[in-house]
Amino acid sequence: MGLGWNPGGRRHVALGELDLTSGELTEWATPGDFWLWGDWSPDGTRAVAVKSSGSRQEAYILERDGHLVRVLPGARRAHSPRWTESGILLLTDAGDRDFLDLALVEPERPEDVARWVFAEDHDLEGFVVDNAGRRAALVLNQGIYDELRIVDLAAGETLERIDWSGGVAMHDHTGEQGYHLNWGADDRSLFVSWEHPDFPAEIQAWPGETRWTFVNTDEELAGLVKPVELT
């Protein structure tokens, strides 16, 4: 079902699958280093995983026999993969780009970008595909704050700019920005762990700006201030 490491208490990392009924772990590969599980292929026969080496991140297609095929071998960064019916979506700077953008890669031609779904001169910090596989919500860096957008995956067009000014999507030890946003079951709502400089993250919902959690109280935050952006 995903990532298993140190099976049996040993010191190697295993990429494989866990049978939820029997609890049996089947190792596909034990490549060493630090790896993150990415996503299953839609038919469940293959997967995509990411090797992380500090600022360098490499994506690989993983076969059940343990064979690994590098995705976009020329990229310095290729991570956060999502395997859809159309191909593998991932954040990458392939083509010697200065920024991370959203690319679509065909599994049978993993060495090239088939199409840029979103490419601007700003870093994409995270994304999440809706349940129907038609749209994606993007976290786009805009200086000291983030911008949220909804894009059409087929056309690459921006369908909506979510106007939540003066905040950022959560990013912490539990996961990157894409981990902290998700679509509702009916794809009509987007839930985001959104924080401001003077207010820690709470879950908010789009459309609108409905706050769903109340973890942080005003009394604890009296000393926090908003920064002034100078340049």
Side-chain angles (χ1 to χ4, degrees):
M1 62 171 292
L3 172 68
W5 59 82
N6 290 341
R10 300 189 183 278
R11 293 180 297 173
H12 66 273
V13 174
L15 295 169
E17 59 183 324
L18 177 67
D19 189 302
L20 295 179
T21 302
S22 66
E24 180 182 0
L25 175 65
T26 302
E27 296 181 8
W28 291 13
T30 54
D33 301 310
F34 184 79
W35 288 76
L36 298 169
W37 186 267
D39 200 11
W40 289 100
S41 62
D43 61 5
T45 61
R46 294 182 289 175
V48 58
V50 176
K51 177 183 177 181
S52 180
S53 305
S55 61
R56 190 175 186 87
Q57 294 168 306
E58 303 172 356
Y60 290 82
I61 294 175
L62 172 63
E63 304 285 351
R64 285 179 178 267
D65 62 3
H67 185 58
L68 290 161
V69 177
R70 177 86 180 269
V71 178
L72 302 177
R76 295 179 298 272
R77 294 179 291 172
H79 64 86
S80 304
R82 173 68 191 274
W83 200 324
T84 70
E85 295 290 348
S86 300
I88 300 172
L89 293 166
L90 74 168
L91 300 180
T92 183
D93 60 1
D96 204 29
R97 293 185 56 79
D98 292 327
F99 300 94
L100 277 178
D101 289 306
L102 184 59
L104 178 71
V105 175
E106 296 173 354
E108 308 313 319
R109 295 188 59 193
E111 67 278 2
D112 297 315
V113 172
R115 177 169 59 88
W116 288 101
V117 178
F118 186 90
E120 291 189 1
D121 287 344
H122 299 277
D123 273 330
L124 267 183
E125 297 177 327
F127 73 101
V128 60
V129 178
D130 70 7
N131 299 290
R134 298 191 182 97
R135 299 174 297 166
L138 311 180
V139 180
L140 181 66
N141 175 259
Q142 296 282 13
I144 64 173
Y145 296 119
D146 289 338
E147 177 184 339
L148 298 174
R149 294 194 197 177
I150 309 296
V151 299
D152 181 283
L153 289 175
E157 298 176 351
T158 296
L159 303 175
E160 188 90 26
R161 293 174 184 259
I162 300 178
D163 187 20
W164 291 354
S165 60
V168 297
M170 185 73 174
H171 174 204
D172 64 5
H173 65 281
T174 62
E176 297 181 346
Q177 288 86 342
Y179 176 81
H180 292 284
L181 63 158
N182 212 344
W183 291 90
D186 59 2
D187 285 339
R188 294 181 180 179
S189 301
L190 181 71
F191 298 89
V192 184
S193 184
W194 188 254
E195 63 181 0
H196 297 86
D198 59 346
F199 204 87
E202 299 280 3
I203 296 175
Q204 294 183 183
W206 171 85
E209 197 170 350
T210 304
R211 181 176 163 189
W212 279 68
T213 61
F214 297 86
V215 176
N216 304 291
T217 62
D218 293 338
E219 293 79 11
E220 299 171 336
L221 309 172
L224 300 181
V225 297
K226 291 184 179 180
V228 177
E229 189 170 5
L230 300 178
T231 181

